[in-house]
Structure formats: C-alpha cells, structure tokens
Amino acid sequence: MSRYTYTLNQEQKEEPVNTYKQKDLEKMTMFHLREICRKERLVIPKSQNLDREGMIRLIMRFRGQKEYRHIRSIQEGGLQRLQNVADSGIIHISGSRQLQMPATILLYRGTGLNELDGYEVRSESGLYEGNLLLVDESLQIYTCFYLQKVVDACYIFKGKDVPVRLLEKRQYSVLYFPNERDSEFLYDCYHGKRAPVPGYMEAIRTPLLDIQEKDIAEAALPLVIDFGSSNTTMGICLPDGSTRVAIDRGSPIIPSVIGVKSVTEDRTEYVFGHDAQSLYAQNYRDEDVTIFYDIKRFISDPDREQSVILKNGYRYQIPRREMLRAYLDYLLELACQQFKCSFTNIQFLAPIRQKEKFRELFMALLPEYTVNCELDEGMAVLFHSIAGLIDRDSYEKRRWYHALIIDCGGGTTDLTSGRFCIDNNRVSYIIDLETRYENGDTNFGGNNLTYRILQMVKVRLAQSLGFLRDGSFAIGEGAGAYSELEERYRQAEVCIPTRFKEYAERGREQYFLVKNNYYYLFELAETIKKEFFQSQFRYKLIVSTKREEEKQGIFLDEWKLSVCENGRFAHLSRKVEFPLYLHEIEELMRPDIYQMMERFLDEPFEKGELQNYEMIKLTGQSCKSRIFTEALKQYVPGKLIQNTKKEQDGTELKMCCLEGALAYFLNCKLGFMKINQKYQVGTLPYEIMAYTHENKEKVLIRSLDRGAHIGYISRFRIGKQLDLYLNDERGNWLKTFHFEYDATKFEKTTQDEINHMFQGTVVQEETDIITEGEMKFFVWISKIRWGFVVLPILRAEGILFKGQETFFDFEDDTWEMNFFDGKK
C-alpha cells in the first residue's frame, strides 16, 4: 500500500526527558516551580489557581522521578554494561570516608536480601538509598546490591533475580557511590537506557571478610497460610522445634491487597500488600483506582474477571484466577526469601464451611505443590488454647472442655463450637478434638465497622465545609439505629460524592474523581479505626488538613479529595479540622455489634446451651474493640471470655489462628501428640424456598436445621426452568437460582438404581407417588461443598426418568455485601 505521508527529520534522536524528585521540588520557590512548568511545557489550567503544593504535584505527576531507582531485576547484558563502565577507568576509589557493615555476607540462590537478613550499613556523614556494586580487587563486578532505609537504619538489599557471577577465592568489596547522580547512572546503564556518562565517579570501597552463595534447602514441614479477607499471615515449623512467622514491613500482618501497575502483551505487573497500598497513595484524583481489596471473596466466584483502567487510558479485563495465583506467588517468594527454604507442601487455613471449596481451588491454582486444608480456622484457634493449657500444665486429664469461637474478620463473622479432651500416656499426649460450624454472617466483619466510620467522617466533612448543618446525629437501637446517620450521609453525597457507580455514564474524569473519594475515605476510616483500637489507649483524634496536626491525629490530604459545588468538581481547597472521640466511635459501632451477637446467641442462650461452654474465644482483628466483650457479657460471665487483650502490637487476635496451626503441625511432626480430629457443619444460616403452582411459598430446606432433611417440589413435565430462592435465617431474600433443564435429555432409570445412587437423599416414598407427567425436584444440602443439590425425576408412560444432578453454591459475590461496588 502506498504511503501518502512524509516523515521529517528521520535521523533526529529523541530528546531525553527531564525528571525531578519530590524532595528537590519542595526546596524551590514558586518562581522556580513556574519556570520548570514553562520549560517542561506543563500547562496550568486557567480554572485552577495552583498554590505551591499544587504546583509540586503537577510537576511530579508528569515529570516526577521515582525516588532512588534500584537495580533489583534481571536484565540481559546488564552486568556486562556495568563492567564496561568499570573498565573505562572513570570509577575512582576514595578514602575520604568509611562505611561500617557486616564483614560476612551470605547469599542464597533464588532469593534476595532485605532488612530481616540484618546487613546494616552505617556512616557518620549519612547515607542515601543508592545502588551498590560487589567487586573484587581488580574491579570485576559480580552482582548489584542497593541500600534501603527501614525506620532509622539502612540495610543492604538485593533483588532475588539479580544474577551473581561465580564467586571465586578473591578479595571482595562493596562499592558505595556518594553522589546520587552516579547511582542513577548505574541504574540506567544496567537497564540499557541512554544517559550521559559521567567523566568521574567517586566510590567508597568497604572490604568484606567473606561472601558465599548457597542453595536453599527444601522445607520438611509445610508452609502454613492464613488467607484472610483484610490481612494474611503465614509461618513455618523448623526442625529444631521452633516456629517462624513471615514479616512484611516490620509486621506479621500482610494486607490482602493486589495492585495493578501495568499490562503488556505477555505479562501483567502486580504489586501486593503494603506495596499495593503505597501504589494507591501515589494515585491522583482523576485516575482509576488500580488496587483490589477483599480478594478472599474472589474464591466464591474465581472464574470472573476484574476491570481496571491504567494510566495509558486502556481498560483491561484480568481473570481473578490469575490475580489470586500472582498473590500466592508473592506470598511464596516472601516466605522463601525470609525462611531460606523452598516448599513443596502448603497448608491453607480455611473457613470450616468452605474447606472443600478452598482446597479444590488452591490445588488448581498451585498444581506444582502439594496443597491441603487439613485444619479449618476454628480448629486452629481451638488448638491454640489446647497448646496453651499443655504448656502451662493447667488441664484435667480426660475431661471434655467446651469452647465457643467467634471469629470476626475483615469481611465475615463465623460462629464455631468445639470440644476437646486431653490425655497423657507414657508415649505422647492424646487429643480428641471436635469442631462444629454453628452460624455465620458473610456480610459482617471489620469492613462494616470501617464503613460506619467512613459515613461519620463524610458527614463531619460536609458539616465543616458548610454543606450540612452542624450538630450531632443520634445512633438509636434496633433496625432503625442508623436511620439518621444514613439520611445525613445521603445529604452529604451532593457535595462529597462517593457513589461512583452512578457516574459510570457521566464521563471518565468525574467517575475517577468520585471513585477516588470513596477509596480515600475508606482508607482514612480504616486508619482511624486502627488508631482508636490499637494496644495503646487513645481517646481523642484530630482530623485536619494541617500537617502539623498529624502527630495528634490524622492528616487529611486536600489533594486526594474532590468536592462538588454547583455541579463542578475541584480539590478540597478549604482548611478542615474536626475531632473524633473514642466514645462516639464506640457508640457508632455498638448497634451493629450488638445485633450480630443477638442473631448468633439469642437462641442458644434461651435454650441454655451457652452454659455448657468453659471458654468463649474472640478472634480476628475486628474484635479488638471492647464493644464485642460488652455485647458478649449479656450472655456469659466475663471470666469465660478470652480475647487476648494484653497484646503489645495489636496483632495477637489475628495471629492466634496461625499460631494454633503451627503448634498443631509441629507437635504432629515431632510425635508429641496423637490427635483425633473431627469436624462437621452443624446448622445452616440459609433456607431454600420455591413457589408452588398456586403461587404459595414452600420452604424446601429450613435454616438452622441440624438435620439432613430433603425438600421436594413438583411441576408438570412441559416446564423448562425451576426458580429456587436463597434466603437468610430471617427469611430475607439473598439470591435467585435458575435451574434450567430439558426433559427430552433425561435418562431412563429404576427405583433400585435411584436407591443405589442417591441413598439417603431421594426418598422412595416420594418417588413412588410421582404421577404420570409429574416432575419432582429433590433438593438436599451438601454441607461439605457448602451448597445444595437439585435432582429432577420424571414419570412418563409409567417409566421413571432421571435428569442431571446439579450443584449450586450458597455463597458468591453477586449477593454478598461488597464495600467497593460503587453503590456506597
């Protein structure tokens, strides 16, 4: 095809783009900032009279330099390019200063280095987070390290994929470049980017006594992962009888968050945990939020895709299975790096009601590993108590102990009962352990409490800006406890919109502004919740747009929030400050928590069943509020309640599940205990209902029914679809299942064949009375798979015909409450 356009200056090379660092811009005057905007052709909108901070944000957005670019990945020819620089003679060793670092460094193949390896570097004249080179006495380069500051100390880090040349018997040193420009040049050179070559590079040489590279060993015991809605924990048992817990950013709590940085033809670049949260912090108001919370709910429907719009303007559909696999790979790499061992066996802690579903999905996601869900979360918590009783020698032999476990996590709450008996013979302890799922709520957890705080903060913001009248709002009791708050929240939507689903058709910019409003307020509310319910007591918190108030409370970033006035959006330009108090936050949460406790415990209390429990355990991060304990005291004496209130770092309630599982696997491995475990699903918090041909409701499966009852309903043979309705235990509709069938494809069967294939589920008395042309649908519960089964049987011309047995899941995120669906 002919070409009808001209290309001018084909030989012209692309001009390098200038970039700037945040810390350098903050030192400049308004005049310098405007000059940069002029030079870089950054257009300041006429409608926005940017102040100094706004100018800095504009420059950082389009010309910002990522702080301290580190060599942390493999790059073909990267080490050789650096070697060419070293051979050119521009690196000069300086003796003007010295660094203090460990004399011996141990590397493990396939893993990196971080602060947990403990290779701290010190200098009297200060350090920056630059790239380092490992060299020998003739400046031959073997690998690249970099410095990273953690709290107030600098440590040697290494990317796990950065290659290491064969280490021989030589004298090795680490080179540090005091000029930040040289570190940036090393990064560009390693990655093959065009950059001006310095004429002189000063380097400080620190000799090493020894450096070795070893292979990592294979772990004898499984890696145990507690995958939570909000946070994840994991750990291993060591051969010496000790246990270790994975640490991320100084905490054993790893946020269950996935962020998407970029998508190319061959791969998607993700960030996870704390890095994903940092990715959101760098987001601008008019860009899509590219992070995903509550990813544990993906397990309910793993075959769906998630939509995201990146900075290049393109929309991408990313499969949930791919995202879950990427997050699991991140966890495994983190464990491998910290524990210096590889894993073939992984144990996931799953909710008792979904053990089988978790196991099947994780086996499919990780086919190269041996995956199991031997322990459910309730059993792990119970074993935490058992191990404690044995360690303290405070148990009675052969006595049955009864416990009730209330686990309030980030997205769900589960009620599990358990009982155990401890015996001790001359060989080992003998533990009989039973757990039973009693009740649960997939729509109540820590996110509900965060959302309540979000509502309060949004109303207070609207009041501070003059959009709503001042004055407190009453929190009542019962079903209408939050009616006044909901009304104020609805009124505040006009000036501080957060329901981004409604803006999907109004324009891309407005959609992103509103979506960022919600995510920013949710993160703000989560921070407020943590501040009030940390281990150290706090009564008052100030939310302010003044940075100097940050030590007393929470900084409200005016550039992260959009306000709508007269139909136009702008950033929060007015100064805002208002206090929050512990007692009002507790009053805000009280109705939700009390109503949840009433739903779970009213009936067992009235039947006198709670008197059988020797201990009540509160677990999960959300239970740190004393309101949980207060609500529970309505039903049981306070001395029975165990909620580990003495934790120092605020993580004990989340960690007790993992610690119990580690104690379980360690004792089994060492042969200290013989454990006879048994678990079952007791009652169901759901009912299955259908309508008869007379439009009357017929309950096929009743909620909270401990029996294995079978429901059935009939239709005439010409039908094509049966609608089944899933309700909660209070009869509230949750979801409609459409069971479609084709009677022409049914197979001939006999009563003997039905009895053999469906023993205990299809009752012969009900098949015997099926009349000519009648199709009877049998419905029964599959507690192991956490769902129900439908089987149609037809009688035609005196012969029985059997349709396809079909399974339906109780839970999926089409009806579960989603705090990130854009409707809040």
Side-chain angles (χ1 to χ4, degrees):
M1 182 177 181
S2 301
R3 187 175 182 187
Y4 294 98
T5 60
Y6 296 95
T7 302
L8 299 177
N9 299 325
Q10 297 184 39
E11 301 295 325
Q12 184 175 353
K13 295 183 179 179
E14 182 183 354
E15 294 184 4
V17 176
N18 296 316
T19 56
Y20 304 86
K21 293 183 179 180
Q22 175 93 16
K23 66 174 186 176
D24 295 331
L25 294 175
E26 289 174 350
K27 299 174 184 178
M28 296 181 184
T29 64
M30 281 291 290
F31 173 78
H32 289 118
L33 295 174
R34 288 196 185 98
E35 279 298 297
I36 290 176
C37 290
R38 183 192 61 79
K39 184 174 65 174
E40 302 298 340
R41 299 176 183 176
L42 302 179
V43 179
I44 303 175
K46 292 183 179 180
S47 60
Q48 297 186 24
N49 184 19
L50 297 183
D51 58 12
R52 189 167 177 276
E53 188 171 354
M55 199 82 71
I56 292 173
R57 286 175 178 269
L58 178 68
I59 297 171
M60 285 299 298
R61 179 173 188 181
F62 296 102
R63 292 291 186 269
Q65 181 182 119
K66 186 177 179 180
E67 296 291 327
Y68 303 117
R69 298 178 297 168
H70 293 141
I71 298 172
R72 61 177 77 186
S73 60
I74 188 170
Q75 190 72 29
E76 185 177 355
L79 287 182
Q80 186 57 50
R81 284 190 290 272
L82 292 178
Q83 188 62 58
N84 293 339
V85 171
D87 293 341
S88 69
I90 65 173
I91 298 179
H92 299 269
I93 306 301
S94 170
S96 60
R97 55 188 284 202
Q98 292 183 343
L99 303 184
Q100 298 167 356
M101 65 176 65
T104 301
I105 295 178
L106 184 58
L107 305 176
Y108 288 87
R109 293 182 180 88
T111 68
L113 295 177
N114 63 19
E115 76 277 10
L116 298 179
D117 293 288
Y119 298 121
E120 184 179 353
V121 182
R122 298 177 183 176
S123 174
E124 294 181 356
S125 46
L127 297 166
Y128 75 97
E129 297 176 325
N131 291 295
L132 309 174
L133 298 180
L134 176 68
V135 300
D136 61 14
E137 65 274 13
S138 59
L139 285 189
Q140 293 296 308
I141 299 174
Y142 287 80
T143 192
C144 302
F145 301 130
Y146 60 92
L147 287 180
Q148 184 145 326
K149 188 173 291 186
V150 179
V151 191
D152 295 324
C154 276
Y155 294 90
I156 295 178
F157 276 56
K158 177 185 173 295
K160 72 179 185 67
D161 296 323
V162 176
V164 181
R165 287 177 175 168
L166 182 63
L167 296 173
E168 302 169 341
K169 292 184 178 180
R170 293 183 176 273
Q171 297 178 4
Y172 295 100
S173 302
V174 174
L175 295 187
Y176 169 78
F177 298 85
N179 191 325
E180 295 183 23
R181 175 209 61 182
D182 295 339
S183 176
E184 295 295 322
F185 168 73
L186 292 177
Y187 178 89
D188 288 330
C189 179
Y190 179 82
H191 287 276
K193 297 181 178 180
R194 288 182 9 191
V197 180
Y200 176 89
M201 296 177 66
E202 179 187 1
I204 298 173
R205 184 202 295 266
T206 304
L208 297 177
L209 182 64
D210 188 24
I211 182 168
Q212 297 180 26
E213 186 180 28
K214 294 184 177 181
D215 290 318
I216 59 174
E218 184 177 304
L221 288 172
L223 175 67
V224 183
I225 300 177
D226 179 13
F227 183 15
S229 298
S230 297
N231 299 295
T232 296
T233 59
M234 60 180 177
I236 61 168
C237 304
L238 299 176
D240 62 1
S242 62
T243 60
R244 284 189 64 188
V245 174
I247 303 295
D248 187 22
R249 302 289 179 87
S251 171
I253 304 297
I254 306 167
S256 301
V257 184
I258 298 177
V260 182
K261 290 192 70 175
S262 65
V263 178
T264 59
E265 293 183 0
D266 56 341
R267 67 186 292 269
T268 302
E269 184 181 359
Y270 298 102
V271 286
F272 309 95
H274 294 288
D275 289 332
Q277 293 177 333
S278 298
L279 177 67
Y280 170 70
Q282 300 165 11
N283 200 60
Y284 288 88
R285 293 182 302 129
D286 58 351
E287 295 172 348
D288 195 14
V289 179
T290 59
I291 63 172
F292 296 89
Y293 296 91
D294 213 0
I295 58 175
K296 188 175 182 178
R297 290 192 188 272
F298 288 4
I299 297 173
S300 297
D301 191 1
D303 296 320
R304 283 179 55 190
E305 295 182 334
Q306 296 295 134
S307 176
V308 63
I309 300 175
L310 299 183
K311 292 184 179 181
N312 60 11
Y314 291 100
R315 180 187 295 273
Y316 298 94
Q317 297 295 126
I318 306 176
R320 284 181 168 183
R321 285 181 179 269
E322 178 187 316
M323 297 175 73
L324 286 171
R325 171 67 203 233
Y327 183 72
L328 295 177
D329 285 339
Y330 158 74
L331 294 178
L332 292 169
E333 288 179 8
L334 185 65
C336 183
Q337 193 279 328
Q338 289 192 25
F339 303 142
K340 306 305 180 193
C341 56
S342 60
F343 303 94
T344 57
N345 189 349
I346 305 172
Q347 289 281 354
F348 287 93
L349 303 181
I352 186 173
R353 66 186 190 278
Q354 290 182 308
K355 276 185 65 172
E356 189 62 24
K357 188 168 190 173
F358 270 58
R359 188 183 67 84
E360 290 178 358
L361 177 61
F362 288 137
M363 285 179 64
L365 291 176
L366 301 169
E368 66 270 40
Y369 296 90
T370 301
V371 176
N372 207 342
C373 296
E374 186 174 331
L375 281 184
D376 61 79
E377 294 167 347
M379 190 170 286
V381 170
L382 207 54
F383 202 85
H384 184 265
S385 294
I386 294 171
L389 289 174
I390 292 175
D391 289 342
R392 298 189 302 270
D393 195 23
S394 57
Y395 66 92
E396 294 182 27
K397 283 186 178 182
R398 294 183 289 278
R399 175 191 167 187
W400 282 97
Y401 292 86
H402 295 75
L404 189 66
I405 303 158
I406 302 174
D407 181 18
C408 184
T412 62
T413 300
D414 290 316
L415 185 71
T416 305
S417 66
R419 64 179 200 140
F420 59 88
C421 176
I422 305 174
D423 198 3
N424 187 6
N425 60 22
R426 67 182 185 86
V427 177
S428 66
Y429 294 101
I430 300 175
I431 312 295
D432 292 310
L433 177 61
E434 301 176 4
T435 54
R436 180 187 183 95
Y437 178 79
E438 299 291 351
N439 207 336
D441 190 339
T442 58
N443 286 328
F444 185 84
N447 287 342
N448 298 68
L449 306 180
T450 302
Y451 177 65
R452 291 299 183 199
I453 298 175
L454 181 153
Q455 289 181 301
M456 173 181 279
V457 170
K458 180 174 167 179
V459 171
R460 291 287 178 84
L461 271 171
Q463 290 175 335
S464 299
L465 294 170
F467 294 110
L468 288 182
R469 61 180 174 83
D470 290 336
S472 59
F473 40 83
I475 303 297
E477 297 180 359
Y482 295 104
S483 58
E484 190 173 344
L485 173 63
E486 294 284 358
E487 176 60 23
R488 295 282 189 92
Y489 184 73
R490 185 190 64 78
Q491 295 171 1
E493 177 69 15
V494 177
C495 58
I496 309 175
T498 54
R499 298 169 64 93
F500 54 89
K501 186 77 171 178
E502 298 175 358
Y503 287 77
E505 306 298 329
R506 298 194 195 183
R508 175 172 166 170
E509 183 180 2
Q510 289 190 6
Y511 175 80
F512 291 158
L513 291 174
V514 177
K515 187 175 182 180
N516 273 282
N517 270 358
Y518 182 81
Y519 274 76
Y520 178 68
L521 289 176
F522 194 91
E523 282 286 339
L524 191 72
E526 182 71 18
T527 303
I528 291 170
K529 184 178 73 173
K530 290 177 181 177
E531 285 290 326
F532 273 122
F533 302 114
Q534 60 186 347
S535 56
Q536 297 178 348
F537 177 78
R538 185 159 202 164
Y539 180 69
K540 181 181 179 182
L541 200 65
I542 296 176
V543 179
S544 175
T545 52
K546 300 177 183 177
R547 283 193 179 273
E548 56 267 22
E549 298 290 344
E550 196 168 358
K551 292 183 179 179
Q552 301 181 28
I554 303 294
F555 172 65
L556 179 66
D557 192 341
E558 59 197 87
W559 290 93
K560 285 288 187 179
L561 208 58
S562 298
V563 177
C564 183
E565 292 188 68
N566 302 320
R568 296 181 61 184
F569 283 88
H571 73 88
L572 182 62
S573 58
R574 282 174 269 177
K575 300 301 179 183
V576 173
E577 182 174 307
F578 57 86
L580 294 173
Y581 296 93
L582 175 62
H583 70 87
E584 63 181 353
I585 296 295
E586 290 183 333
E587 288 306 308
L588 181 70
M589 296 178 172
R590 191 182 303 275
D592 274 339
I593 296 173
Y594 271 67
Q595 288 172 26
M596 183 269 292
M597 288 291 186
E598 288 171 4
R599 286 181 52 208
F600 284 176
L601 302 180
D602 264 2
E603 185 176 345
F605 177 75
E606 291 173 0
K607 292 181 179 180
E609 296 175 357
L610 296 181
Q611 300 175 7
N612 300 326
Y613 297 109
E614 285 87 1
M615 64 181 74
I616 312 288
K617 289 189 71 73
L618 285 168
T619 67
Q621 286 287 82
S622 303
C623 293
K624 287 189 289 187
S625 170
R626 62 184 178 184
I627 304 299
F628 281 90
T629 306
E630 290 179 9
L632 196 50
K633 284 181 180 178
Q634 296 182 106
Y635 302 97
V636 295
K639 64 181 181 181
L640 298 182
I641 303 172
Q642 300 181 6
N643 59 356
T644 54
K645 293 292 289 183
K646 297 180 181 180
E647 75 271 12
Q648 297 299 313
D649 56 3
T651 62
E652 182 65 25
L653 288 172
K654 173 65 179 174
M655 295 300 299
C656 107
C657 185
L658 177 66
E659 291 172 353
L662 292 175
Y664 171 89
F665 288 110
L666 182 62
N667 281 284
C668 289
K669 174 68 176 179
L670 298 178
F672 291 163
M673 295 181 183
K674 178 188 177 187
I675 302 171
N676 305 311
Q677 59 172 298
K678 178 178 153 183
Y679 75 92
Q680 58 181 309
V681 176
T683 60
L684 297 165
Y686 306 117
E687 70 176 21
I688 307 296
M689 186 271 291
Y691 286 98
T692 66
H693 69 285
E694 299 174 316
N695 202 34
K696 295 180 180 179
E697 293 184 3
K698 181 176 182 180
V699 178
L700 307 180
I701 303 296
R702 296 193 177 276
S703 67
L704 304 179
D705 188 352
R706 295 181 182 273
H709 295 130
I710 304 160
Y712 47 85
I713 192 168
S714 294
R715 293 282 191 272
F716 189 59
R717 63 178 295 178
I718 62 173
K720 298 290 184 182
Q721 177 176 303
L722 173 68
D723 291 338
L724 297 166
Y725 301 89
L726 178 71
N727 300 331
D728 64 19
E729 75 274 17
R730 292 171 291 182
N732 298 320
W733 173 82
L734 298 174
K735 183 182 179 179
T736 302
F737 296 95
H738 305 290
F739 174 58
E740 298 179 352
Y741 55 90
D742 184 355
T744 61
K745 297 181 180 179
F746 284 13
E747 300 176 354
K748 286 185 180 180
T749 187
T750 63
Q751 186 62 57
D752 290 340
E753 187 178 74
I754 292 173
N755 292 341
H756 177 72
M757 293 181 64
F758 305 102
Q759 185 176 6
T761 53
V762 179
V763 182
Q764 181 171 346
E765 288 80 356
E766 293 299 328
T767 55
D768 288 343
I769 61 175
I770 297 176
T771 60
E772 181 68 23
E774 177 186 357
M775 185 179 302
K776 181 168 285 190
F777 299 87
F778 292 87
V779 181
W780 65 89
I781 298 299
S782 175
K783 292 184 177 180
I784 293 178
R785 299 171 67 189
W786 199 244
F788 64 95
V789 178
V790 181
L791 176 72
I793 294 181
L794 165 70
R795 188 182 297 276
E797 299 180 357
I799 301 174
L800 291 177
F801 292 84
K802 173 178 66 69
Q804 184 69 36
E805 177 186 357
T806 305
F807 173 80
F808 294 94
D809 279 302
F810 281 135
E811 296 171 5
D812 63 49
D813 56 4
T814 60
W815 64 264
E816 292 175 319
M817 185 177 293
N818 182 355
F819 286 98
F820 305 97
D821 59 3
K823 300 177 182 179
K824 306 291 188 295

